[in-house]
Amino acid sequence: MAHVPAAERRPQLIKAAIDLMTREGVAAGSTRAIAAELGVAQATVHYTFGTKEDLYRAVMEQLTQDLVAQVERAAPTDTSFEATIVTLAEALWNTVLEQPASYQLLNELTMFALRTPHLKEALHSHHSGISAVTAKLVNEAAERTGHQLAQPAETIARFFLAGFDGLTMQHLSLPDEEAERVCLRALISAVLAMA
């Protein structure tokens, strides 16, 4: 196989890792298996990322960036604060319905990272980043509409994400579309009351 610069190989390896671990779980995501998924030598993975933990960090970052981009694209620019929050929450929920395997992989990586000292910083960074993006979207909606927030956007974001993570886990383990819709509406109502 021809030499491919690390900058080009990196996204290929991340995609291969996501594809493999989405199908078979995090436990199957050895550097050897990920290299085989792409058809490269195992040394290529280590040359490109250094360690398996660095590759896992990149996978978490990629999955998160992809999901955040989908929600940001859905952000309305001409509706009320309340309608904006509803639209954003529903857009995020649609990513769960459309890509449950991505959420399952993120949850598996989260649990793995909690027990892996070299990934704890990545996990903290991941959750801080998600909270920051959520707070930014809340702040932008408030500023655009002239809505005075009753609580800091960061607090509202943490509250929303705590409920959303719970709904996501329920969807993955015990799906019930009707109950999920009711719970999502209740979560949105609680977030709007808090805001």
Side-chain angles (χ1 to χ4, degrees):
M1 181 175 272
H3 172 73
V4 176
E8 286 181 42
R9 189 62 80 195
R10 183 178 174 82
Q12 295 171 347
L13 284 166
I14 292 169
K15 182 181 181 324
I18 290 171
D19 291 347
L20 173 72
M21 291 191 291
T22 297
R23 274 193 331 269
E24 300 180 29
V26 172
S30 67
T31 56
R32 181 182 314 273
I34 292 165
E37 180 82 7
L38 187 58
V40 299
Q42 184 178 6
T44 301
V45 178
H46 291 288
Y47 174 77
T48 306
F49 287 97
T51 67
K52 178 172 74 172
E53 287 81 10
D54 291 333
L55 173 57
Y56 282 14
R57 179 180 294 112
V59 166
M60 288 175 74
E61 290 169 358
Q62 187 64 56
L63 288 169
T64 302
Q65 287 172 9
D66 293 347
L67 295 169
V68 165
Q70 290 175 6
V71 173
E72 286 180 328
R73 282 194 299 272
T77 58
D78 59 353
T79 60
S80 68
F81 177 79
E82 292 80 5
T84 299
I85 297 303
V86 169
T87 298
L88 291 170
E90 288 178 348
L92 185 58
W93 185 249
N94 285 335
T95 66
V96 174
L97 299 178
E98 294 165 3
Q99 302 163 65
S102 294
Y103 282 91
Q104 182 173 346
L105 180 54
L106 273 172
N107 278 308
E108 287 179 38
L109 284 166
T110 295
M111 293 300 114
F112 180 78
L114 283 171
R115 294 197 179 269
T116 307
H118 296 302
L119 280 176
K120 284 200 178 184
E121 177 274 321
L123 183 61
H124 176 75
S125 176
H126 165 75
H127 284 287
S128 295
I130 292 293
S131 290
V133 167
T134 306
K136 177 186 80 110
L137 291 170
V138 169
N139 265 329
E140 287 174 353
E143 289 171 7
R144 180 179 52 76
T145 61
H147 181 85
Q148 183 69 34
L149 293 173
Q151 297 290 328
E154 294 76 16
T155 303
I156 295 165
R158 285 181 69 98
F159 177 77
F160 170 75
L161 291 170
F164 189 83
D165 287 347
L167 282 174
T168 300
M169 199 52 132
Q170 286 181 3
H171 176 74
L172 293 174
S173 57
L174 189 63
D176 180 338
E177 189 174 329
E178 185 177 331
E180 291 162 5
R181 282 282 167 202
V182 170
C183 291
L184 180 64
R185 284 195 300 273
L187 175 61
I188 294 168
S189 293
V191 167
L192 290 172
M194 182 183 222

